[in-house]
Amino acid sequence: MKKLAPIPSGSLFFAPMEGITDETYRKVIQNNYPEWDYLATDFLRVPSAGRYPNKHLVRHFGKELYELSEIQAKTMFQILTSHRAFTGEMVKQIQDLQFPWLDMNIGCPSPTVCKNQGGSYLLTDLLSLRDLVRSIRQGYTGRFTAKIRIGYSDTKNFDDSIKMLNDEGVELITVHGRTRDDMYKAPARWEFIERAVKLSQVPIIGNGDVWSTSDIDRMIKETGCHGVMVARGALKAPWMAQDYRLGHFHPTKKETTTKIKQFFTDYRSLLEAENISVRGLLKQSKSVSRFMLDGIEGCEMVKRQLMLSQTVPEFYSLVENL
Ligand SMILES: Cc1cc2nc3c(=O)[nH]c(=O)nc-3n(C[C@H](O)[C@H](O)[C@H](O)COP(=O)(O)O)c2cc1C
């Protein structure tokens, strides 16, 4: 397995987002905003019986992107698993396919996932989580990282979870500063990111409530984290890393709407090149536009109209007229 270069401090991560960060979306991000240092696939659920064909894993990562070693080096392949799933089998496939970076999702709050004892539910029982982490580490020689929440209903296991992941050979930990019960609404508690930095020997990536370029700076200063991962803020402004690197902290409305139009021109042409159905094109365009107009003066009505639009031309003419 190819050894990856260490992750520099101050790195910016585009977060995994189910239903969003598929191959097409990541291609737009990589082509237009290469200032994101790292990206992630959304999670691939480990099956509870049998195995996926190899081509399913490659498709999840992106068939074209799989051919590019520099993209493999900057993209974590994320899995979601539990004790009931065939983790060893999937890890072997990931190893055999030579994906150099495997990330374990220990934060998913979905009721179905937690009912099956996966995602953030794993934080309730650190001994069993340790067994699972250990078995992945033993079967995989590439970079193994984990993304966690600060707890399930409370934070009593937080310190021990960070220590355990360190002891079991996890090489980087992303801390989303919310418990499972907080879901996405409660304010992210950055003090836990700071706490993880103090407890951990391996790099900590901070995540939660980064909505602007100034928030990136603030998170690094307040928590001492090694890097910052952005999810909904990056969906709102996929160019956030570029603005950050250019020191462009106060974009005007005109600059933002121009970027939104450019983004959708590129996104639409990639989706069309893949022969997506008209229904799929409208659905995906709506999904990725979800946060884009938030906070932009005078755009509240257009945001609603975008969501209600019935056809692709209707959606795209609203974007054009921003
Ligand atoms: C639509 C959506 C899908 C998500 N899918 C995933 C996922 O597949 N894997 C994961 O680890 N986290 C996932 N998350 C969580 C985010 O990566 C991130 O941890 C969370 O949104 C907090 O960051 P934020 O406050 O910057 O949004 C998802 C979040 C959203 C909003």
Side-chain angles (χ1 to χ4, degrees):
M1 179 78 72
K2 190 171 161 232
K3 187 142 179 54
L4 298 177
I7 290 171
S9 78
S11 290
L12 299 178
F13 290 66
F14 200 111
M17 278 179 275
E18 190 195 11
I20 307 280
T21 48
D22 59 8
E23 179 177 29
T24 314
Y25 190 83
R26 278 181 281 121
K27 272 194 208 156
V28 176
I29 299 301
Q30 262 141 199
N31 294 343
N32 296 0
Y33 318 111
E35 292 79 6
W36 290 105
D37 300 295
Y38 300 102
L39 293 97
T41 70
D42 45 350
F43 66 76
L44 182 62
R45 200 184 305 247
V46 177
S48 49
R51 51 175 266 165
Y52 298 127
N54 279 351
K55 67 173 186 234
H56 185 75
L57 274 70
V58 171
R59 219 181 303 126
H60 185 74
F61 189 86
K63 242 170 115 179
E64 279 176 40
L65 298 178
Y66 178 65
E67 302 300 327
L68 306 170
S69 59
E70 73 277 15
I71 299 296
Q72 286 211 17
K74 61 186 282 190
T75 310
M76 36 173 111
F77 187 112
Q78 193 184 65
I79 64 167
L80 177 80
T81 191
S82 76
H83 294 283
R84 300 172 174 181
F86 278 31
T87 311
E89 188 60 47
M90 169 97 90
V91 169
K92 183 171 178 326
Q93 281 180 281
I94 291 172
Q95 171 80 24
D96 291 346
L97 288 164
Q98 300 281 298
F99 285 108
W101 188 349
L102 168 58
D103 186 68
M104 179 179 182
N105 179 323
I106 317 178
C108 180
S110 135
T112 316
V113 168
C114 291
K115 207 168 96 205
N116 286 308
Q117 305 186 355
S120 53
Y121 181 86
L122 294 166
L123 293 168
T124 61
D125 179 358
L126 293 190
L127 281 179
S128 348
L129 175 59
R130 187 194 63 192
D131 292 344
L132 203 47
V133 169
R134 192 173 281 178
S135 74
I136 297 176
R137 180 69 288 179
Q138 280 167 358
Y140 182 65
T141 59
R143 173 182 285 154
F144 175 32
T145 61
K147 180 165 179 281
I148 66 168
R149 285 189 179 237
I150 59 177
Y152 190 78
S153 354
D154 56 46
T155 56
K156 67 179 189 307
N157 283 343
F158 181 71
D159 289 8
D160 289 340
S161 66
I162 296 291
K163 287 183 200 147
M164 183 276 285
L165 294 170
N166 269 260
D167 291 346
E168 296 302 327
V170 169
E171 294 166 72
L172 169 144
I173 306 165
T174 302
V175 177
H176 173 193
R178 294 185 174 90
T179 63
R180 183 267 174 185
D181 288 351
D182 289 338
M183 299 301 273
Y184 294 99
K185 282 220 172 98
R189 287 183 265 170
W190 290 4
E191 62 273 25
F192 281 90
I193 300 170
E194 184 188 8
R195 194 171 172 79
V197 170
K198 294 199 174 112
L199 287 168
S200 179
Q201 308 298 314
V202 301
I204 297 295
I205 306 304
N207 170 237
D209 277 346
V210 170
W211 290 99
S212 67
T213 42
S214 355
D215 288 341
I216 297 178
D217 253 354
R218 210 161 51 77
M219 182 182 266
I220 294 174
K221 285 196 189 109
E222 287 180 17
T223 69
C225 61
H226 191 78
V228 172
M229 177 181 279
V230 194
R232 290 164 300 169
L235 204 51
K236 172 171 163 51
W239 42 85
M240 188 192 284
Q242 188 174 70
D243 281 355
Y244 181 75
R245 296 289 181 224
L246 294 171
H248 195 39
F249 278 37
H250 302 289
T252 61
K253 178 178 174 184
K254 176 101 191 106
E255 283 166 341
T256 305
T257 52
T258 304
K259 283 178 178 162
I260 293 175
K261 290 178 199 176
Q262 185 60 52
F263 172 87
F264 276 108
T265 304
D266 295 338
Y267 188 55
R268 179 181 186 174
S269 67
L270 268 187
L271 284 172
E272 285 178 342
E274 286 162 13
N275 292 322
I276 189 169
S277 67
V278 172
R279 213 162 143 244
L281 176 57
L282 183 61
K283 181 169 170 273
Q284 277 310 105
S285 303
K286 284 187 185 183
S287 295
V288 306
S289 74
R290 220 167 97 196
F291 298 100
M292 267 183 178
L293 297 178
D294 287 359
I296 305 181
E297 199 199 321
C299 286
E300 300 79 11
M301 174 71 110
V302 192
K303 181 179 167 169
R304 272 196 298 279
Q305 288 169 331
L306 279 176
M307 288 305 149
L308 292 172
S309 56
Q310 297 289 317
T311 65
V312 170
E314 190 187 341
F315 181 95
Y316 278 88
S317 88
L318 285 165
V319 170
E320 244 345 280
N321 289 319
L322 275 174

